[in-house]
Amino acid sequence: MHSFLTKFAGIVRGALCGLDRLFLRGTLRGIAYTQGLKSFLWHNRILYKDFGDYSQQVTAQLVEASLRQAQQLGREIRYLNSTQFRKEDIAREIAARDHIKKGPICVLRSVDPCMSFQIVKNHLTRKLEIRYRPRKCLHLYHYQIHPVFGFMHARIQTWFPFHVYICINGREWLARQMDQVKLRYVRRDNTFTWLQDTAQAQALLDQQLQANWPSLLDQLAADLNPAHGDIFAKVPLRYHWSVAESEWASDVMFTSRAALEKVYPQLVRYAITTFGTADVLRFFGQPVSCSGKVPHRCRHEVSTNVKERVEGVRLKHWFNNNNEKMYDKGSVLRPECTLREPGNFKVYRPAEGDPEGPKTWRVLRKGIVDLQHRAEISQAVNERYLEALAAVHVTTPLRELAEPLCRPTVAPAWQQTPTLPAAALEATAAGAGASAVATVPADSADGRLAAPDGVPSASPVADVPAERRRRAGRPRRVRALNPLAPEDAGMLEVVSRHEFLINGMRNRDVRWLLFGEDPTTPSEHRKRSAAVTRKLRLLRAHGLLHKVPNTHRYLVSEEGRKVITALLAARNASTEQLISKAG
């Protein structure tokens, strides 16, 4: 993401990353399954044959209590008999009409599909049974302007097991936060096109993840059903909160709509023509082989579609039921990650029943306890997506990128301890013990090899020739690159492959792509490995690669990715294309 912002720094105001729409679900776990409801009915002494009448009585009690506050405040209660009406638009119209600035706005009643219980007769056993199956029941949608979340809605299922659904918007919440600290902004729907202080706004947005979620959500559930305590007096139950769907947006705020319109078509075209199945899997952090092919064991569903809307063009990449989409809204470019199936991701956490226990890689949970992990995963997806898009639309002349590579350069001093002669090691071991040999210190500041502890200065270690001692710290001159030559161009194509975008590459990965299958003789294996080492050292010296600390992996630098993409595009372009651009 940093390289994307750096590339368009002249026309970008900044970036704002955080929650967009968050859809939460409250579940009474004690009665959310058949055996749990049986236990609840047993404690309340309700027979199966009386369950229908009892559930109707409880539903009437819930509806009456849920609508009481709206009736007392004189808020509108409306029944919707069609799904063609958009409930949010109706609620906003009512709020504008009645000049409502805070508190409840209205209650909308609608019959929607749900999962509920039903008593059925088993003709084989001739007994009544409880079945948990899809049904339809009345739902109550409570729209309000919440003191913390702002405009939002919460709905409750009026049949057992009384699921609760809460929908909030992180940008709506941020607007209220900025109003409280007197931070000015320009807003368009759920996006901000200008911020007085982007860093302060980002800090406020980050605070949302640290909110006391159980307390806030429990209060919303209590307002939905004030009769909850009476209904579950004999079997006290609390709602367990999970994230049914989350949207995490990384808004890139351009200076104007015109500035965004100049680059957005190229971004969409590049994404459509370049990003394949393997790329989408990598955006979502899924493993892909070094060959760039989708693994045979992969059973994920990946697709991409483009849709033209009134606001602009929307590009969406599906990964199972999750997706990464990009669209333009005013002067804001928004990559947005939507997660519905967290089971496709793993996070480093302890077991659910042992929060103080050892941590290991486990499946991302739907519960709000993993909301921070969900945010990190979503942000990483957006950043990988923007990093991939950063390789397009480079306005820097090619000569400025190619000229430094086409000149010899001097690599930094390689920090390594020179190998001592065998006689020196034997003499050192005899004079100071084997432990001294195992703890030979690194080069001293003046380039000489320091003697181990307990070894006299006149020992064979100190007698290593000066030329031999300074060899490790001497800067090395490396040759120039020739991006048009097959050998250097092939190496550039290998290191720029998308499978190395996340975890980087190793010597063995590059060796396999350059030479194919491993040789049969050890000498040939060493020869190939040494050749790849020299090539990696060459690219590191020119600043195209950097080594991951404490590993044997290498990553393409941000500047290196831009340079390699431009050079390979020029190398593969036809003469007609180059001539037409020259004119």
Side-chain angles (χ1 to χ4, degrees), residues 49-343:
K49 66 183 182 65
D50 299 328
F51 176 72
D53 295 335
Y54 173 75
S55 60
Q56 290 182 5
Q57 175 187 347
V58 173
T59 296
Q61 181 182 1
L62 185 153
V63 172
E64 189 275 331
S66 184
L67 299 179
R68 187 182 301 130
Q69 183 184 20
Q71 293 170 343
Q72 292 174 352
L73 296 176
R75 300 301 190 224
E76 181 175 349
I77 301 174
R78 184 186 301 184
Y79 177 76
L80 302 179
N81 59 0
S82 174
T83 58
Q84 296 180 352
F85 304 107
R86 195 167 183 264
K87 299 178 180 65
E88 181 178 341
D89 294 341
I90 295 175
R92 292 189 180 277
E93 291 175 2
I94 295 175
R97 182 196 67 193
D98 298 342
H99 307 287
I100 300 174
K101 302 299 182 182
K102 62 179 181 179
I105 299 175
C106 64
V107 179
L108 303 180
R109 304 164 66 242
S110 175
V111 175
D112 297 332
C114 68
M115 292 295 294
S116 186
F117 298 100
Q118 186 177 14
I119 299 294
V120 297
K121 183 178 181 180
N122 190 325
H123 295 284
L124 297 178
T125 61
R126 296 180 178 273
K127 293 182 180 180
L128 296 179
E129 295 180 352
I130 299 178
R131 299 285 176 83
Y132 191 58
R133 57 176 54 175
R135 303 188 69 185
K136 286 187 177 182
C137 77
L138 179 68
H139 288 70
L140 302 179
Y141 292 77
H142 288 250
Y143 281 87
Q144 62 173 303
I145 300 178
H146 193 269
V148 176
F149 299 129
F151 183 89
M152 57 157 293
H153 85 266
R155 67 181 170 105
I156 186 170
Q157 175 181 318
T158 59
W159 285 9
F160 280 95
F162 307 122
H163 292 314
V164 169
Y165 303 90
I166 296 175
C167 184
I168 64 175
N169 192 289
R171 289 338 197 234
E172 175 77 20
W173 186 356
L174 176 61
R176 300 187 69 84
Q177 291 175 296
M178 292 191 292
D179 291 339
Q180 293 175 357
V181 299
K182 308 299 182 182
L183 186 64
R184 293 183 297 165
Y185 58 88
V186 177
R187 180 181 177 186
R188 176 179 177 178
D189 295 334
N190 67 332
T191 60
F192 298 95
T193 58
W194 177 84
L195 294 169
Q196 180 184 1
D197 190 338
T198 305
Q200 186 178 0
Q202 183 63 61
L204 294 173
L205 201 54
D206 294 338
Q207 291 177 8
Q208 296 178 0
L209 297 175
Q210 310 303 325
N212 188 354
W213 288 95
S215 176
L216 292 170
L217 299 177
D218 286 344
Q219 184 59 48
L220 289 171
D223 295 339
L224 281 176
N225 182 16
H228 180 89
D230 297 333
I231 297 173
F232 299 99
K234 295 183 179 181
V235 185
L237 295 174
R238 289 187 59 185
Y239 278 99
H240 173 267
W241 297 102
S242 59
V243 182
E245 179 180 325
S246 64
E247 294 179 353
W248 184 273
S250 300
D251 292 347
V252 180
M253 297 174 289
F254 282 73
T255 55
S256 64
R257 173 65 182 175
L260 177 58
E261 287 179 341
K262 290 181 180 179
V263 301
Y264 188 65
Q266 286 86 351
L267 296 176
V268 174
R269 187 181 305 111
Y270 180 81
I272 295 174
T273 58
T274 305
F275 298 156
T277 300
D279 300 303
V280 176
L281 290 175
R282 293 187 196 101
F283 295 151
F284 285 93
Q286 302 302 306
V288 178
S289 63
C290 61
S291 64
K293 296 181 180 180
V294 179
H296 294 293
R297 65 180 183 278
C298 179
R299 293 297 181 266
H300 303 301
E301 181 179 352
V302 178
S303 63
T304 299
N305 62 60
V306 183
K307 184 177 181 181
E308 187 169 355
R309 308 173 302 154
V310 177
E311 297 89 348
V313 178
R314 187 268 292 152
L315 178 64
K316 181 181 290 188
H317 308 277
W318 288 94
F319 167 64
N320 292 337
N321 207 23
N322 310 305
N323 66 75
E324 170 74 8
K325 59 185 175 184
M326 178 183 68
Y327 58 93
D328 58 327
K329 195 168 188 177
S331 59
V332 174
L333 173 68
R334 170 171 286 185
E336 184 177 275
C337 179
T338 303
L339 296 186
R340 297 187 182 93
E341 294 183 3

Side-chain angles (χ1 to χ4, degrees), residues 290 481 487-507 509-511 513-514 532 535-540 543-546 554-557 560-565 568:
C290 61
L481 281 174
E487 181 180 356
D488 289 350
M491 186 63 182
L492 295 178
E493 290 178 351
V494 168
V495 300
S496 64
R497 292 172 68 96
H498 287 292
E499 58 262 33
F500 303 137
L501 180 63
I502 301 175
N503 295 325
M505 71 205 77
R506 298 167 298 180
N507 186 299
D509 301 327
V510 178
R511 188 170 65 243
L513 292 171
L514 288 179
V532 172
K535 294 178 184 295
L536 293 174
R537 183 185 300 149
L538 175 66
L539 297 186
R540 287 184 65 192
L544 301 181
L545 295 181
H546 63 79
Y554 301 84
L555 282 171
V556 179
S557 63
R561 186 167 300 280
K562 178 175 66 174
V563 173
I564 293 173
T565 302
L568 293 179

Side-chain angles (χ1 to χ4, degrees), residues 16-36:
L16 190 65
C17 307
L19 289 171
D20 186 28
R21 192 171 66 97
L22 188 63
F23 193 48
L24 301 150
R25 172 175 172 169
T27 305
L28 296 173
R29 283 184 161 184
I31 59 171
Y33 60 104
T34 303
Q35 193 60 38

